[in-house]
């Protein structure tokens, strides 16, 4: 007997895939419902290795799904709900057609809703899984929270998005989890670190609503995505609030009393508005201790003991700890023209207190006239009334300070000043072998001092004299502009003010230096063993070479190419530095020559 | 059975024993009769007509009358007739007993869904007027409201999120249905209704592109609202390069499609057509361009016959010798080369080695390139093309450097939508806009009202007056 002939495509790639049409038939769903359930369950179309075979010999490009995925969907109880919903829709349609509006209204009122929380749990078995996938969720929720009611979007969706995003921001504030901010033309990029996961999302700028053109985006699909994401964000919020010992749904602390100014009768709305204002802390669960200090980082003896890496990690932790309390005890006032929400969010994340104009938004806690305000954030060139007790800074100062992880000196960010560029914190730090011009280095690292500035002072006395002359001349030129002079004077005053502040920070360093010098002067007992530094260097090098020899043959080529790359980059940096130095010197020379020429001319003229 | 048995002493201690040895048949028969009477009615009270029938036909079967011809019912009517009948399956439920209802004044309860009768409506109205139903009405209203509120509240549960999904031991998390979360339901019963936590079919792993590709890509530093000059220039360079690439592609397409065909005027086209269409048609005789007119009138075939001219022996020999000589020379050359190649071995080896090295290098390079392309390749999930990510372009004129005057040109929603497509979470699609149906309006032939009709109508109505 000849065995039965195997049918084509009954095994292998032909059997693994299924077209969308076949899937619809198998699940007995309409395309609309199928799309919805696929998005909710996280089932996506697949790309086959061999399309011809996967499509069972059919040409063209069809949307394919894994057969296993579809079989997985087959078990979902929601499918039954969707089928029931279809019948319900038919009832509504019938009632409308029969002009039985009363029954139609009743049907609409009792419209069943599908519960999808088990799907959230199924797709994200652990909390960390959910956090890892929060990027897209947050971006879409923040985006939808700005939308008005649209045709294809459920009416309450944007309101729900707004509520959830505000709650999430509160959780970030309480956890002090914000790490990086970047203001791009697209919107605000935020990066937070929650439970060891970095989450990045985009918040659009606060414009009035821009109409979306219909033919670009399928609103229905995006709305379904948001449907799932709101569910997920809700449960994430709940979990976050619980882990932070906060009450969920959020409530304000008892210190806040609603009696002070009762413009709104509805208590719920009143509280919701105050919560959306974000400048008050939420109430905690009773019995939870407020001050939770993270313990010092433990050091484990890992297998590849790299002391440098450990040191780096420790330094990073220290920096983050400092960042968390950067604005603690500082009072900020936000002027009308500054975007309120992002700034409040950022400042509150690092422990600052914020308020704004009472007419600007609800929830202002203190007035502009409050003398204890430390920073007044303005985004306009000048102001009529200014208080001496505070600094008037531009909003970029806040963003840059967060990215630099310290309070930056404000002199570059004062009101009306031309701002330094807002650099991205998202650049790859591993690519450190690049040339950084001295200006940028000064920006990034406050301790860095450009060498040529000092050199000019010590080089030649003549030159320095000339430089001083130059400055004086510049001053006299500027005197013509009365306004500019005034502004400058003000700036100088402010700078002096800030200097006095900075003195405190500088003083300990000086003291340290003095102490060290003193120590150096003291008589110490002689040390018998004397290590030859040069000798040691040579030995180290030799040891290093020996270790290089031990690199496995498998990795040798890689190591070599790595080394070659390093050398090459080093050389490039060196070359660029040299170029810069030569250029600077040349410029200086030219300047000097010009000065000399002018002097000679002046002498000749006088003579 | 009147056989007298020998008397035997038996115990009639308890009820069972009493029943066993005492004859109660007459009592039971009597009771059975009574029950039967109750069920079927008393025999004596029944009229004769119910009990007896006068047999007039005798043994013959009753015949149909000839005059009446009974039409068979249509299928529809048959069905309708059947509607009135009680279904067979429910006959069991109907009471068969003739026992009278002990409650003589039982309230009649209308089945659910039956319409109120005219009378009941009237009584209801009367009662409402009297104020007897007021309390009931109020209560009904309250109940209705409560039910609606309950439903609404249930609906809102979706938005309350008062459940620790990743918490662990709470019943909701375990998957116990909410209806079974109650203190008096045993844990066994609860657990019985739980879906198996480990599904029968685990979720297949997601596609690689969905998992590995970042949802929110780190932005280029040049898209800052106040970028540094260098970074912004870099971004512009990128945008420029991208644009140039696109332009090149477009130009190529143009060249390959539209540009490939030469253009001709309408007149030329017409001429061409005329020429093509008249090909092979007999031309009017023109002696000027007749080529045969100059030659003599000798006949000449177009394809003269081929002559099979044989080679003679000498020629064949010569050819053979030539071939042999050629072969010999070739052999000689090869032999010579063999000797020289021995001395060339090292060179050969080195050349081979370099060639191999070069090939392997190229191979690895190709593999690398392929891997890099694969890592960033856009998934083809549908017949439509997945949109390529375009670099964010910031017009230098629009860069004001302060937050107040930011102008955004990008559509974040579209960006998200395309990002989903690029990650392979959505198949690329083209939105089909619904065309508005154009309704053609026309009059039914008989209903058309023309000017003439109107005139006619007016004159007629004027005449009536």
């Amino acid at each position: 007997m000849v065995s039965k002939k195997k049918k084509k495509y009954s095994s292998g790639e032909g059997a693994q895939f299924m077209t969308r049409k076949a899937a619809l038939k198998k699940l007995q769903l309409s395309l609309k419902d199928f799309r919805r359930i696929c998005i909710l369950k996280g089932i996506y179309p697949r790309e086959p290795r061999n399309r011809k075979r996967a499509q069972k010999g059919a040409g063209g490009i069809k949307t394919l799904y894994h057969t296993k995925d579809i079989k997985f969907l087959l078990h979902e109880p929601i499918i039954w709900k969707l089928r029931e919903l279809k019948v319900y829709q038919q009832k509504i349609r019938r009632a409308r057609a029969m002009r039985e509006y009363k029954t139609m209204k009743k049907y609409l009122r009792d419209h069943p809703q599908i519960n999808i929380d088990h799907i959230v749990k199924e797709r994200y078995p652990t909390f960390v899984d959910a956090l890892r996938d929060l990027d897209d969720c947050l971006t879409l929720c923040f985006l939808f929270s700005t939308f008005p009611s649209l045709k294809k979007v459920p009416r309450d969706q944007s309101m729900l998005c707004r509520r959830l995003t505000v709650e999430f921001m509160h959780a970030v504030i309480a956890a002090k989890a914000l790490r990086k901010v970047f203001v791009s033309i697209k919107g605000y990029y935020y990066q937070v670190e929650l439970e060891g996961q970095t989450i990045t999302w985009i918040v659009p700028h606060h414009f009035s609503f821009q109409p979306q053109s219909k033919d670009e985006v399928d609103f229905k699909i995006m709305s379904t995505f948001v449907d799932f994401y709101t569910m997920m964000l809700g449960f994430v919020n709940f979990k976050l609030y619980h882990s932070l010992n906060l009450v969920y749904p959020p409530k304000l602390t008892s210190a806040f009393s609603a009696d002070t100014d009762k413009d709104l009768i509805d208590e719920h709305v009143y509280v919701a508005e105050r919560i959306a204002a974000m400048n008050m802390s939420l109430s905690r669960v009773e019995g939870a201790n407020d001050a939770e200090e993270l313990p010092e980082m433990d050091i484990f003896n890992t297998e590849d003991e790299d002391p440098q890496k450990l040191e780096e990690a420790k330094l990073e932790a220290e920096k983050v700890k400092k960042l968390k309390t950067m604005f603690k005890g500082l009072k900020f006032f936000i002027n009308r023209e500054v975007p309120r929400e992002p700034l409040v969010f950022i400042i509150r994340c690092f422990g600052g207190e914020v308020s704004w104009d009472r007419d600007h938004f609800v929830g202002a806690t203190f007035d502009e006239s409050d003398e204890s305000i430390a920073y007044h954030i303005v985004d306009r060139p000048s102001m009529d009334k200014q208080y001496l007790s505070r600094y008037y800074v531009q909003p970029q100062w806040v963003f840059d300070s967060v990215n630099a992880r310290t309070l930056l000196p404000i002199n570059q960010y004062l009101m009306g000043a031309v701002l330094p560029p807002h650099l991205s914190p998202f650049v790859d730090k591993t690519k450190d072998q690049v040339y950084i011009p001295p200006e940028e280095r000064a920006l990034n690292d406050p301790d860095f001092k450009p060498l040529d500035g000092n050199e000019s002072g010590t080089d030649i006395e003549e030159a320095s004299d000339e430089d001083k002359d130059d400055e004086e001349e510049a001053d006299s030129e500027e005197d013509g502009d009365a306004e500019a002079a005034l502004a400058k004077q003000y700036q100088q005053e402010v700078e002096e003010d800030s200097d006095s502040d900075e003195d405190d920070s500088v003083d300990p360093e000086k003291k340290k230096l003095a102490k060290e010098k003193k120590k150096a002067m003291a008589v110490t007992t002689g040390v018998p063993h004397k290590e030859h530094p040069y000798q040691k260097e040579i030995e180290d090098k030799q040891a290093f070479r020996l270790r290089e020899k031990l690199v496995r043959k498998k990795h040798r080529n890689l190591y070599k190419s790595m080394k070659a790359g390093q050398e090459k980059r080093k050389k490039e940096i060196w070359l660029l530095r040299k170029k810069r130095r030569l250029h600077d010197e040349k410029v200086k020379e030219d300047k000097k020559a010009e000065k000399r020429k002018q002097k000679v001319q002046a002498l000749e003229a006088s003579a | 059975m009147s056989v007298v048995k020998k008397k035997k002493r038996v115990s009639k201690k308890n009820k069972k024993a009493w029943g066993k040895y005492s004859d109660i048949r007459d009592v039971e028969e009597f009771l059975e009769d009574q029950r039967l009477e109750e069920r079927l009615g008393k025999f004596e009270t029944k009229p004769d007509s119910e009990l007896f029938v006068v047999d007039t036909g005798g043994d013959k079967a009753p015949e149909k009358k000839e005059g009446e011809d009974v039409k068979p019912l249509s299928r529809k009517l048959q069905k309708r007739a059947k509607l009135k009948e009680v279904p067979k399956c429910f006959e069991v439920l109907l009471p068969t007993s003739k026992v009278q209802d002990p409650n003589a004044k039982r309230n009649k309860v209308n089945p659910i869904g039956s319409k109120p009768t005219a009378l009941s409506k009237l009584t209801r109205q009367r009662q409402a007027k009297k104020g007897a139903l007021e309390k009931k009405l109020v209560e009904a209203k309250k109940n209705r409201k409560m039910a609606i509120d309950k439903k609404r509240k249930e609906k809102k549960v979706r938005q309350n999120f008062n459940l620790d999904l990743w918490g662990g031991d709470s019943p909701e998390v375990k998957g116990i249905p909410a209806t079974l979360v109650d203190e008096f339901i045993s844990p066994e019963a609860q657990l019985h209704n739980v879906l198996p936590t480990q599904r029968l079919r685990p979720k297949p792993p997601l596609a690689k592109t969905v998992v590995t590709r970042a949802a929110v890509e780190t932005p280029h530093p040049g898209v800052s609202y106040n970028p540094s000059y260098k970074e912004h220039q870099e971004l512009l360079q990128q945008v420029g390069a991208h644009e140039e690439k696109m332009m090149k592609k477009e130009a190529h397409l143009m060249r390959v499609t539209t540009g490939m065909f030469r253009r001709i005027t309408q007149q030329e086209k017409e001429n061409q057509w005329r020429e093509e269409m008249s090909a092979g048609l007999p031309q009017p005789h023109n002696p000027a361009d007749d080529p045969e007119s100059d030659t003599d009138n000798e006949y000449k075939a177009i394809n003269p016959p081929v002559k099979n001219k044989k080679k003679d022996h000498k020629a064949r020999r010569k050819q053979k010798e030539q071939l042999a000589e050629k072969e010999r020379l070739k052999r000689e050359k090869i032999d010579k080369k063999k000797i020289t190649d021995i001395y060339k071995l090292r060179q050969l080896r080195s050349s081979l080695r370099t060639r191999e090295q070069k090939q392997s290098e190229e191979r690895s390079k190709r593999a690398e390139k392929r891997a890099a392309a694969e890592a960033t390749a856009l998934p083809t999930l549908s017949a439509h093309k997945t949109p390529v990510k375009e670099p964010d372009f910031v017009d230098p004129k629009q860069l004001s450097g302060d937050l107040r005057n930011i102008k955004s040109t990008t559509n974040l929603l579209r960006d998200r939508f395309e990002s989903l497509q690029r990650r392979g979470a959505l198949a690329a699609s083209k939105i089909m806009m619904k065309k508005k149906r154009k309704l053609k309006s026309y009059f039914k032939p008989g209903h058309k009202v023309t000017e003439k009709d109107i005139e006619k109508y007016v004159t007629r109505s004027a005449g009536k007056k």
Side-chain angles (χ1 to χ4, degrees), chain B residues 343-391:
Chain B
Y343 297 107
K344 253 182 160 182
L345 261 183
R346 260 162 67 184
Q347 197 192 339
L348 275 174
R349 197 180 292 147
S350 76
S351 77
L352 268 179
R353 200 178 295 142
T354 48
R355 198 151 137 228
E356 266 171 13
Q357 212 174 351
K358 213 175 175 184
Q359 273 175 348
S360 76
E361 244 170 50
E362 270 173 0
R363 203 177 301 131
S364 68
K365 246 183 209 170
R366 248 177 286 144
E368 226 169 69
K369 212 175 172 184
R370 207 180 303 132
E374 233 162 56
T376 54
L378 297 173
T380 45
L381 300 175
S382 68
H384 299 289
K385 247 187 187 165
T386 314
V388 186
K389 184 172 198 275
E390 282 175 20

Side-chain angles (χ1 to χ4, degrees), chain A residues 137-411:
Chain A
C137 163
L138 281 172
T139 308
L140 267 184
C141 284
F142 270 99
L143 184 64
F144 265 69
S145 68
T146 62
F147 284 173
S149 73
L150 297 169
K151 203 180 173 191
K152 293 279 174 71
V153 180
R155 271 178 223 167
D156 57 339
Q157 199 166 52
S158 63
M159 290 300 288
L160 183 64
C161 279
R162 171 79 187 145
R163 200 195 102 193
L164 290 173
T165 48
V166 165
E167 281 170 9
F168 180 76
M169 283 201 278
H170 266 297
V172 170
I173 288 170
K176 295 189 180 1
L178 191 66
R179 293 289 172 271
K180 285 171 185 174
V181 191
F182 178 54
V183 188
S184 79
I185 44 146
K186 233 183 201 176
Y188 298 89
Y189 281 81
Y190 293 111
Q191 191 171 69
V192 298
E193 202 180 298
L194 283 170
E195 313 241 332
Q197 303 293 327
T198 47
I199 304 161
T200 317
W201 77 92
I202 313 171
V203 180
H205 284 294
H206 199 76
F207 298 125
S208 51
F209 176 69
Q210 287 151 323
Q212 310 278 350
S213 60
K214 279 181 201 163
D215 50 348
E216 278 183 343
V217 177
D218 195 339
F219 267 89
K220 188 80 203 159
I221 284 180
M222 294 312 267
S223 168
T224 316
F225 269 106
V226 172
D227 210 20
F228 176 73
Y229 284 148
T230 48
M231 208 68 190
M232 174 182 163
L233 188 57
F235 289 120
V236 167
N237 278 348
F238 184 88
K239 180 85 184 165
L240 275 178
Y241 273 59
H242 269 238
S243 62
L244 292 167
N245 286 329
L246 294 173
V247 178
Y248 189 88
K251 283 189 187 102
L252 294 170
T253 46
S254 54
F256 159 77
S257 58
D259 303 329
T260 47
D261 46 352
K262 206 157 193 168
D263 302 330
L264 281 167
I265 291 144
D266 193 350
E267 179 96 16
H268 265 298
V269 176
Y270 184 77
V271 172
E273 269 187 346
R274 295 302 131 124
I275 285 170
M278 282 203 298
N279 64 344
M280 269 176 284
S281 50
L282 301 177
S283 69
R284 291 178 170 276
V285 176
E286 273 175 54
N289 47 343
D290 289 349
E292 269 182 87
E293 282 294 304
L294 271 176
E296 282 263 311
M297 209 171 66
D298 291 334
I299 297 165
F300 296 108
N301 277 331
T302 45
E303 278 184 25
D304 46 0
E305 236 175 289
D306 195 350
Q308 204 181 341
K309 259 185 195 171
L310 265 178
E311 197 61 31
E312 262 175 27
K314 231 178 175 180
L315 218 73
E316 180 79 12
E318 194 69 23
K319 266 186 179 172
V320 167
K321 203 176 162 192
K322 228 165 127 190
L323 173 71
K324 279 180 177 177
T325 54
M326 196 169 66
F327 293 143
K328 196 162 192 182
L330 295 176
K331 269 189 171 178
F332 290 80
F333 191 84
I334 292 176
N335 225 25
R336 268 188 304 136
E337 71 277 0
V338 181
R340 190 196 65 86
E341 203 178 278
L343 276 164
V344 171
F345 173 55
I346 294 166
I347 292 167
R348 291 269 297 129
C349 265
F350 305 113
E353 280 177 72
V354 206
S355 183
W356 47 85
D357 200 295
R358 204 164 278 281
D359 305 329
H360 180 200
F361 197 84
V362 291
T365 42
F366 47 85
D367 281 333
E368 191 182 352
S369 55
D370 193 341
E371 288 289 328
S372 60
I373 291 169
Y375 294 97
H376 193 126
I377 297 169
V378 286
D379 199 6
R380 53 171 85 177
S382 64
M383 266 177 83
D384 295 337
K385 197 184 174 193
Q386 292 185 2
Y387 292 85
L388 277 175
S389 58
R390 64 184 78 155
Y391 302 127
Y392 286 81
V393 290
Q394 298 194 34
Q396 199 188 315
W397 176 76
V398 178
F399 308 131
D400 285 354
S401 292
V402 171
N403 292 337
R405 295 177 168 184
T406 47
L407 290 178
L408 286 176
I410 53 162
N411 45 15

Side-chain angles (χ1 to χ4, degrees), chain A residues 60-71:
Chain A
I61 299 177
K62 286 174 178 171
T63 308
L64 295 173
Y65 287 86
H66 263 176
T67 312
K68 275 187 180 174
D69 279 340
I70 300 303
K71 279 184 180 163

Side-chain angles (χ1 to χ4, degrees), chain B residues 124-141:
Chain B
R124 215 161 179 77
Q125 265 178 18
R126 206 172 57 232
Q127 277 169 333
K129 211 179 259 176
K130 238 163 79 179
L133 277 178
E134 213 157 80
K135 202 180 165 192
K136 228 179 194 175
L137 280 176
V138 168
E139 207 153 80
K141 206 176 173 186

